[in-house]
């Protein structure tokens, strides 16, 4: 079965012949809009990965994939180094993924930088590199052993998502109907994460798990990638109460580029902007960011892509981790932001709607940079 990283690389983007919605299929692609302040913006994707459609599992990054990353203008990218949605050999798989990305960092020091603290984030921007932040999207690699928090911290993990969609030893994910909240072990894990100055991430969590974790954490918690339930009442999206609680404790909410931005049909950039503006209204402009939950590169909508997408959704349904809003014919990106410079395009769109350059800079990465730096030191 394909891992999350393999699927995102091979099948999570939809290339259209034009950036404009509804353009004729034979129209040459128009260049995406530019936003002049982007050259000086710290852009951070709180949930993503690197790779093109033809990337082979375990292959090193190609020159073209690294060129896409350079074109993106991202100063930092939070990548998932732990398996999600299945628990067999989670520790071993995580160690393998960390070794893979460590090798990429060693192979490309001119472009990639390991992020261990706030100074590394700034250094990535100053040196025109992309800092990689190691993140878990499930706590299963810890098993029942809290000593592994220190092990993974030493290996560079700086952000830990407490649950995926289902229940684990820490608490309930967003698809659990019982909504049981944090376990005793979950509270102990949060304490251990706080001691090691690791960010507590509440994406995919159930409502009680999120609210109890926000209260339990001594440092600000984040939601790296989600949407607003007030606009699309789907389990993967967060209620205003959850969004507000994160902001009140100093955290940041990242909005994703995923199908869950609408209840039906393929979402577009306009849906993303609606969720961003709602989150700003609820949380304030200092507490909203972006976590795309996708790849930097764009890919082609081929027959192979469609088949892999259907297979991926079927496997998730069989395992009980497919969230409402996932569909065979709804792809995991926004078609009119399907190019590496999507952050700059989004900046231009927000500017056209009257948002200030300062606010846009915060949303595109400044807010996540601040809170991560505050937690890590």
């Amino acid at each position: 079965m394909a891992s999350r990283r393999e699927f995102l690389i091979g099948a999570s983007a939809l290339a259209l012949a034009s950036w404009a919605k509804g353009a004729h299929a034979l129209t040459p692609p128009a260049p995406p809009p530019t936003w002049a302040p982007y050259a000086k913006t710290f852009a951070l994707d709180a949930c993503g990965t690197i790779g093109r459609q033809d990337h082979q599992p375990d292959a090193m990054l190609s020159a073209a994939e690294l060129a896409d990353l350079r074109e993106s203008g991202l100063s930092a990218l939070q990548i998932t180094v732990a398996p999600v949605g299945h628990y067999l050999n989670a520790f071993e798989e995580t160690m393998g993924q960390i070794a893979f990305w460590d090798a990429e960092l060693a192979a490309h020091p001119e472009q990639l930088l390991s992020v261990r603290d706030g100074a590394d984030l700034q250094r990535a921007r100053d040196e025109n590199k992309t800092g990689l932040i190691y993140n878990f999207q499930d706590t299963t690699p810890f098993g029942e052993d809290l000593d592994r928090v220190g092990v993974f911290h030493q290996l560079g993990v700086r952000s830990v998502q407490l649950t995926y969609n289902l229940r684990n030893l820490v608490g309930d994910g967003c698809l659990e109907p019982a909504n049981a909240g944090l376990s005793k072990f979950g509270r102990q894990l949060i304490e251990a994460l706080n001691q090691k100055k690791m960010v507590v991430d509440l994406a995919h969590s159930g409502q009680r798990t999120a609210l109890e974790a926000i209260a339990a954490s001594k440092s600000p918690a984040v939601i790296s990638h989600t949407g607003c339930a007030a606009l699309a009442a789907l389990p993967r999206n967060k209620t205003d109460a959850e969004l507000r609680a994160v902001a009140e404790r100093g955290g940041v909410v990242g909005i994703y580029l995923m199908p869950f931005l609408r209840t039906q049909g393929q979402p577009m950039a306009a849906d993303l902007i609606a969720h961003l503006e709602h989150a700003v209204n609820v949380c304030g402009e200092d507490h909203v960011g972006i976590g795309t939950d996708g790849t930097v590169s764009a890919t082609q909508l081929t027959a192979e892509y469609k088949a892999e997408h259907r297979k991926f959704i079927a496997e998730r349904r069989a395992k009980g981790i497919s969230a409402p809003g996932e569909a065979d014919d709804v792809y995991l990106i926004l078609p009119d932001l399907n190019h590496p410079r999507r952050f700059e395009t989004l900046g231009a769109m927000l500017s056209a709607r009257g948002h200030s350059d300062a606010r846009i800079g915060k949303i595109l990465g400044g807010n996540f940079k601040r809170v991560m730096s505050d937690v890590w030191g």
Side-chain angles (χ1 to χ4, degrees), residues 7-227:
F7 179 78
L8 283 175
I9 288 173
S12 70
L14 171 64
L16 298 183
S18 171
W19 308 122
K21 183 179 179 181
H24 192 278
L26 297 181
T27 303
T34 60
W35 181 59
Y38 191 66
K40 296 182 179 180
T41 296
F42 185 97
L44 188 156
D45 186 346
C47 183
T49 194
I50 311 166
R52 285 192 169 190
Q53 184 172 355
D54 58 356
H55 188 100
Q56 297 301 308
D58 300 323
M60 296 293 283
L61 294 173
S62 68
E65 290 166 335
L66 289 167
D68 288 343
L69 180 62
R70 177 75 70 187
E71 183 184 356
S72 76
L74 289 173
S75 296
L77 175 64
Q78 184 157 262
I79 58 174
T80 300
V81 296
V84 297
H86 64 94
Y87 311 135
L88 185 64
N89 300 321
F91 180 84
E92 292 78 10
E93 288 190 37
T94 302
M95 296 296 284
Q97 280 296 300
I98 291 174
F100 173 89
W101 287 108
D102 281 351
E104 293 290 355
L105 287 161
H108 306 290
E110 77 291 344
Q111 185 171 355
L112 303 178
L113 185 153
S114 175
V115 173
R116 302 294 182 101
D117 55 29
D120 288 333
L121 288 176
Q122 187 58 46
R123 186 158 66 92
R125 180 68 186 85
D126 292 343
E127 297 179 7
N128 195 30
K129 298 178 181 179
T130 301
L132 299 186
I133 307 163
Y134 290 176
N135 165 259
F136 287 1
Q137 283 201 62
D138 205 337
T139 49
T140 52
F142 297 121
E144 299 179 62
D145 188 354
L146 292 175
D147 289 339
R148 289 183 178 178
V149 174
V151 171
F152 285 121
H153 180 270
Q154 187 173 5
L155 292 172
V157 177
R158 289 296 181 269
S159 177
V160 174
Q161 183 177 298
L162 297 187
T163 72
Y164 196 60
N165 288 344
L166 301 182
R167 177 178 299 150
N168 61 19
L169 294 177
V170 168
D172 275 9
C174 62
L175 298 189
E176 291 290 350
N179 194 25
L182 277 180
S183 67
K184 181 178 179 180
F185 177 75
R187 295 178 184 278
Q188 293 171 339
L189 178 62
I190 290 173
E191 184 177 358
L193 294 173
N194 287 166
Q195 289 175 351
K196 288 296 183 181
K197 298 183 178 181
M198 298 165 77
V199 173
V200 175
D201 183 358
L202 302 173
H204 289 265
S205 64
Q207 291 181 27
R208 276 192 60 191
T209 299
L211 293 172
E212 292 174 4
I214 293 164
S217 180
K218 294 181 176 62
S219 62
V222 306
I223 304 174
S224 60
H225 57 295
T226 190

Side-chain angles (χ1 to χ4, degrees), residues 240 243-248 250-253 255 275-289 355 359 362-363 367 370:
D240 285 358
L243 302 180
R244 193 173 294 111
V246 168
E248 288 174 349
V252 176
V253 174
I255 304 300
H275 281 255
L276 285 170
E277 291 179 340
H278 180 84
V280 168
N281 288 336
V282 172
C283 301
E285 68 177 34
D286 294 324
H287 304 282
V288 179
H355 296 280
R359 171 180 287 181
K362 292 177 182 180
I363 292 171
N367 287 334
R370 183 197 71 248

